[in-house]
Amino acid sequence: MTKYQRVPGTRDIFGPDMQRFNAVTQVFCRVGCRFGFEEVATPLFEDTAVFAKSLGEATDVVGKEMYTFDDRGGDSITLRPEYTAGIARAYLSNGWQQHIPLKLMAYGAMFRYERPQKGRFRQFHQIDAEILGTPEPQADVELISFAAMLLDELGLGDKVVLNLNTLGDGESRSAYRSSLVAYFTAHKASLSSDSLDRLEKNPLRILDSKDLGDQALVMDAPIIDSSLSQTAGVFFERLTQALDALNIQYVRNPRLVRGLDYYSHTAFEFITTHLGAQGTVIGGGRYDGLIEQMGGSHTPSVGWAGGIERLAMLIEEPAMVSDSIVMVPTGEAAMLAAFGVVQSLRKAGFRVEQGFSGNLKKRMAKANAMNAKVALILGDSELEQGVIAVKDLSTAEQKLVRLSELETALSTYR
RNA sequence: GCGGUUGUAGCUCAAUUGGUUAGAGCGCUGGUUUGUGGUACCAGAGGUUGCGGGUUCAAUCCCCGUCAUCCGCCCCA
């Protein structure tokens, strides 16, 4: 057995897994670009306070899932557990107010100390999109339609359902919160122990409890709509109208809540039933108060994040493409000459591979195994005549080509 | 943090109620006469049965512990 093991919850991504992973990020960047999002890269770690304050001290992410440590200078550092807080910090640090409305996209690694499970890792990767500095529901619409188009182009249109809710503005939210607390406190006796906890920390979370007893209670719990302020109601109305106009299907889920404290108004999740307990594939919402709370001026914003691993698990395996050309030299002199030929083909933009060992037969077998399109065979007799054998591996046709005309002969394989 | 599942070759899996030298397929290496791939055939390498302890004449198999894995709770992407 090998001495070293992966740290639990981490993965080594290779081969088909890597292709799936790349397929997700590539489609993400392509679609985001069409919407005018600009790519941004922020640090993998931040001052601990950046996350602790913004996500909410009582949330599980902050309370028990962060990778936090003191660096050699004695500062408390945290590996990013999510994107938004770091991006908000970057916005403040760099004075990006000047670019409002700022449409940003990013992807990269996140770290959360959780029990690993299907679709849940300790180091995982997210794609992320944010629009900073716009109070209008149009921004929410654009973000949701970005996500929907992304899922569509990944071929997941019918595997995923958009759940939509509003948490209202601050006023509505605290009104709703107290009516929920009143309701559940009255039924305290029949709540699960988990939910008794939630009643203290985050009563909204009781709404999506999986406990059957809780769910029965939740059926009759008050819903947000009755606590919604007029402005919050209008905001949500305008959002849903636009989604209807764009023909984006959604399910109104009044029990959809979000785990992080900074959300308000719009909350949404794209959910699948194909991944066991980890159904949320993209989730996000509006966070009008976050940047102000972090010391900036009032900067209403929206955003979402998607789990790359989860998306990668759902998509069809990308077709293996190989357009490569393989050089097969035989004999010492040819081996040396082959290097030069390979180099000039590569400079000309061809994808050329070259084995390092084996006789002609082995090299041909290798070329075949890597699904190459053409083999270039170069031996002593070819060298003498200044030619090279070009063999199409799918048709098995082979012809001699002058070395000087090789590039044009290969132009169809570029 | 709580509950359960599984751990045998690089990979996917076998091995009768505990019983000789732990097998197969794929992959890998070499070969089936000179410089031509896919198919077929032959041969070979590769294992401290996760690790540690216990029961037994005898443990891959039973028991305990431990590590890892996967699944559920929790939480979230």
Side-chain angles (χ1 to χ4, degrees):
Chain A
M1 276 296 108
T2 48
K3 190 173 172 188
Y4 297 109
Q5 294 181 315
R6 269 176 296 137
V7 171
T10 61
R11 304 198 315 147
D12 301 308
I13 309 174
F14 175 70
D17 288 336
M18 196 71 236
Q19 289 184 330
R20 287 165 175 275
F21 190 100
N22 285 337
V24 172
T25 56
Q26 280 160 12
V27 174
F28 168 70
C29 291
R30 193 176 76 209
V31 175
C33 193
R34 301 208 289 256
F35 278 80
F37 282 78
E38 214 176 324
E39 208 170 332
V40 66
T42 56
L44 281 177
F45 50 81
E46 299 274 356
D47 276 340
T48 298
V50 169
F51 301 115
K53 297 250 172 65
S54 59
L55 308 195
E57 309 268 4
T59 61
D60 274 28
V61 171
V62 172
K64 43 191 190 190
E65 296 176 359
M66 294 204 306
Y67 278 90
T68 297
F69 58 95
D70 288 347
D71 69 11
R72 287 169 188 276
D75 295 320
S76 182
I77 297 294
T78 293
L79 263 32
R80 42 139 100 136
E82 62 111 41
Y83 250 125
T84 306
I87 288 179
R89 192 234 85 226
Y91 172 89
L92 292 168
S93 308
N94 300 297
W96 284 344
Q97 296 90 307
Q98 59 184 318
H99 298 117
I100 278 178
L102 226 204
K103 295 160 74 173
L104 296 175
M105 61 176 170
Y107 68 91
M110 301 291 148
F111 306 87
R112 273 153 45 179
Y113 189 84
E114 295 185 275
R115 192 67 168 261
Q117 215 179 105
K118 184 175 190 176
R120 198 171 79 180
F121 310 97
R122 289 184 177 174
Q123 176 178 332
F124 61 103
H125 299 79
Q126 288 188 336
I127 50 178
D128 183 272
E130 315 276 350
I131 300 182
L132 295 107
T134 42
E136 294 84 8
Q138 281 80 352
D140 308 46
V141 174
E142 186 147 284
L143 268 169
I144 290 174
S145 100
F146 174 9
M149 195 178 292
L150 166 69
L151 291 167
D152 220 46
E153 298 205 6
L154 286 170
L156 301 179
D158 50 4
K159 280 189 179 167
V160 162
V161 175
L162 169 57
N163 283 42
L164 184 68
N165 194 20
T166 176
L167 306 172
D169 45 24
E171 185 190 330
S172 327
R173 193 171 169 173
S174 56
Y176 183 46
R177 192 186 156 106
S178 22
S179 70
L180 271 186
V181 171
Y183 172 80
F184 284 119
T185 306
H187 295 83
K188 228 173 174 173
S190 29
L191 273 183
S192 69
S193 60
D194 279 331
S195 286
L196 281 175
D197 243 31
R198 295 181 179 113
L199 191 53
E200 303 288 318
K201 286 188 186 166
N202 191 348
L204 296 205
R205 282 239 81 101
I206 299 177
L207 295 176
D208 65 357
S209 168
K210 282 177 191 162
D211 183 272
L212 288 176
D214 289 348
Q215 284 179 359
L217 279 180
V218 166
M219 297 281 276
D220 296 321
I223 60 171
I224 178 84
D225 298 49
S226 45
S227 308
L228 235 40
S229 72
Q230 165 132 38
T231 47
V234 169
F235 187 97
F236 192 58
E237 175 90 26
R238 287 172 70 196
L239 171 64
T240 54
Q241 276 173 354
L243 291 178
D244 289 340
L246 287 173
N247 212 6
I248 293 173
Q249 309 289 321
Y250 63 87
V251 174
R252 172 69 204 281
N253 180 354
R255 292 192 274 279
L256 173 71
V257 294
R258 309 246 67 219
L260 309 178
D261 281 358
Y262 54 60
Y263 285 106
S264 57
H265 284 295
T266 317
F268 60 91
E269 288 184 11
F270 288 85
I271 297 175
T272 180
T273 53
H274 297 71
L275 283 180
Q278 268 59 51
T280 301
V281 123
I282 288 178
R286 182 160 272 277
Y287 50 96
D288 287 350
L290 175 65
I291 288 178
E292 197 170 357
Q293 178 201 322
M294 290 176 75
S297 54
H298 183 62
T299 311
S301 305
V302 227
W304 54 251
I308 297 180
E309 284 86 352
R310 291 183 186 177
L311 289 165
M313 280 190 274
L314 284 179
I315 63 176
E316 299 284 332
E317 185 167 331
M320 228 231 323
V321 285
S322 175
D323 49 357
S324 75
I325 295 166
V326 176
M327 170 62 80
V328 180
T330 128
E332 283 298 315
M335 209 101 80
L336 207 56
F339 273 117
V341 177
V342 167
Q343 186 180 39
S344 53
L345 285 176
R346 285 176 178 159
K347 277 185 176 167
F350 291 96
R351 172 177 163 186
V352 190
E353 305 204 48
Q354 184 173 209
F356 299 130
S357 66
N359 56 25
L360 182 55
K361 186 180 173 126
K362 290 297 166 199
R363 285 169 183 266
M364 287 300 287
K366 195 78 186 168
N368 193 63
M370 66 171 68
N371 216 348
K373 281 195 175 158
V374 222
L376 302 178
I377 301 158
L378 187 63
D380 295 335
S381 56
E382 284 86 2
L383 268 184
E384 274 172 34
Q385 303 168 54
V387 296
I388 189 164
V390 176
K391 179 167 187 172
D392 185 304
L393 288 174
S394 50
T395 64
E397 269 176 56
Q398 184 170 331
K399 58 188 176 186
L400 291 174
V401 173
R402 302 209 64 76
L403 273 172
S404 55
E405 288 157 15
L406 183 56
E407 282 181 28
T408 41
L410 290 174
S411 57
T412 52
Y413 301 107
R414 191 185 290 269

